[in-house]
Amino acid sequence: MIVDCAVYRDGRRAEEPAGLAEALRTARGFGGSFLWIGLHEPTGEELARLSQEFGLHPLAVEDVLSARQRPKLELYRDSLFLVLKPVVYDSPPGRVRTGELMLLVGDSFVISVRHGDVNPLDGVRERLEHRPELLRHGPAAVMYAVSDAVVDQYLEVAARLQADLGELEEAVFTPDGRAGGDTAGRVYAFKRQVLRFRRATGPLTDPVERLAGTRMPFVPEGSRPFFRDVADHLTRAGDQVEALDRLLSDILSAYLAQVGVRQNDDMRKISAWAAMAAVPTMIAGVYGMNFAHMPELHHPLGYPAVLALTAAASLGLYRFFRRRGWL
């Protein structure tokens, strides 16, 4: 579906085009003009029509239709093909959702194709139309604005993930040392979301650096500083993702260590109480053997003496284990 279609001349939106062919002729017929077409989940028929009008490479059209691409930058004879993975974070339930955004950039046209319900383009066209000095850079200005919007969204998602990770960290390191029973599952689930986020940010580094630092067709020399700014923001987002992943690993290791310490502490307590229970059990077992000749059975102080011995032994063990920190 075509969301919007407009010709921009000297940084300003011109009259509405009557058709794609006429719009492209208009854009190519005037210096400093270009055509911007926005699509959302186009059909094969729509892409075939665009491919015929704009001379798009068949591999680029195939990638647009499949919509299962990693972030990348491809250079074809008549166009640049840039794939971005926009990201949003829903909290709750603490889930990272990704979409897919593709840009086909030519000499006097740019085609943006969006797949999924993650929409980083909301407001991008309007903001660009209020900056004619930027739009004068042509299709590269659209590629910069879209990339900048996606990467800025990465920074927002990283900040929200950091906030939720702080809450998870507090839950793990509770004052009483008792986190929830599913803490390990929560950490692993959070780690999966960070991994999904990393799959969107990591592969984009090379395409943005190529746009910022090397001579690239359809990207004027004056547009490179804008992509360097995008590369800087992307580096910050990547550093935050790395920090999140390391912190999650440290939290998980600390939690597992806590579990091991608590299990050892519980085993010490169980062993101490078992040892204290073994003393009266042993004494009662000795005097419960029912032999005929047991002198203590006929002594007038035998019963209180055995009780005193049992109590003294149990109390001695209790004080010993308390001093050792087992109880």
Side-chain angles (χ1 to χ4, degrees):
M1 180 180 66
I2 295 180
V3 178
D4 200 353
C5 177
V7 175
Y8 295 89
R9 185 178 304 148
D10 195 27
R12 299 190 181 276
R13 186 167 181 146
E15 66 279 356
E16 295 293 330
L20 292 179
E22 181 182 347
L24 185 58
R25 284 195 300 269
T26 302
R28 286 174 172 170
F30 294 90
S33 300
F34 70 94
L35 172 65
W36 181 5
I37 301 174
L39 301 173
H40 179 224
E41 297 184 352
T43 63
E45 292 77 8
E46 290 173 329
L47 284 177
R49 181 186 173 194
L50 288 174
S51 177
Q52 183 178 3
E53 294 287 349
F54 295 92
L56 303 179
H57 197 280
L59 291 177
V61 175
E62 181 182 346
D63 288 345
V64 170
L65 276 176
S66 64
R68 293 182 179 273
Q69 306 299 315
R70 68 196 301 268
K72 64 179 182 177
L73 177 65
E74 297 285 353
L75 175 60
Y76 298 110
R77 184 181 62 183
D78 298 322
S79 63
L80 277 176
F81 180 53
L82 177 64
V83 180
L84 304 165
K85 300 286 281 189
V87 173
V88 295
Y89 180 59
D90 298 326
S91 177
R95 183 168 63 97
V96 171
R97 292 188 294 116
T98 61
E100 196 153 336
L101 182 59
M102 304 171 182
L103 294 174
L104 291 154
V105 179
D107 57 347
S108 56
F109 69 88
V110 55
I111 302 172
S112 58
V113 184
R114 180 170 62 88
H115 290 273
D117 57 352
V118 180
N119 184 16
L121 298 181
D122 188 24
V124 171
R125 188 186 289 261
E126 182 179 356
R127 289 195 296 270
L128 267 178
E129 290 177 355
H130 285 84
R131 299 182 63 186
E133 73 284 357
L134 182 57
L135 270 176
R136 290 191 183 98
H137 288 269
V142 177
M143 188 161 54
Y144 155 71
V146 172
S147 303
D148 187 58
V150 171
V151 173
D152 285 347
Q153 204 170 42
Y154 289 166
L155 294 173
E156 294 175 7
V157 170
R160 296 182 64 187
L161 283 169
Q162 184 68 50
D164 281 4
L165 182 58
E167 296 178 3
L168 179 60
E169 188 176 13
E170 290 180 2
V172 172
F173 299 104
T174 52
D176 58 358
R178 298 285 179 175
D182 193 35
T183 300
R186 291 174 59 192
V187 174
Y188 276 116
F190 202 98
K191 198 172 182 67
R192 282 197 300 270
Q193 303 308 312
V194 172
L195 178 60
R196 184 176 299 174
F197 187 26
R198 172 185 278 179
R199 287 172 179 166
T201 61
L204 186 59
T205 301
D206 180 66
V208 172
E209 288 180 349
R210 289 170 61 191
L211 290 170
T214 60
R215 185 179 297 276
M216 191 70 60
F218 315 115
V219 180
E221 181 73 25
S223 301
R224 293 184 192 174
F226 296 104
F227 290 103
R228 285 198 288 269
D229 180 67
V230 175
D232 178 64
H233 291 177
L234 183 60
T235 300
R236 287 170 49 196
D239 291 343
Q240 292 183 27
V241 173
E242 292 291 337
L244 286 170
D245 189 59
R246 288 195 300 269
L247 186 55
L248 274 169
S249 299
D250 293 342
I251 289 174
L252 182 60
S253 299
Y255 172 72
L256 294 177
Q258 280 185 339
V259 171
V261 169
R262 287 198 298 268
Q263 288 178 342
N264 290 337
D265 186 57
D266 292 340
M267 287 302 299
R268 285 199 302 266
K269 291 180 179 180
I270 293 172
S271 300
W273 285 110
M276 292 169 57
V279 171
T281 301
M282 181 187 67
I283 295 175
V286 170
Y287 289 99
M289 290 186 292
N290 296 322
F291 288 113
H293 303 287
M294 295 183 70
E296 293 85 355
L297 295 179
H298 304 287
H299 196 282
L301 298 179
Y303 179 67
V306 170
L307 290 181
L309 175 63
T310 302
S314 299
L315 181 61
L317 286 173
Y318 178 79
R319 295 183 62 183
F320 172 76
F321 289 132
R322 287 282 292 182
R323 284 197 302 268
R324 295 294 299 270
W326 286 34
L327 291 174

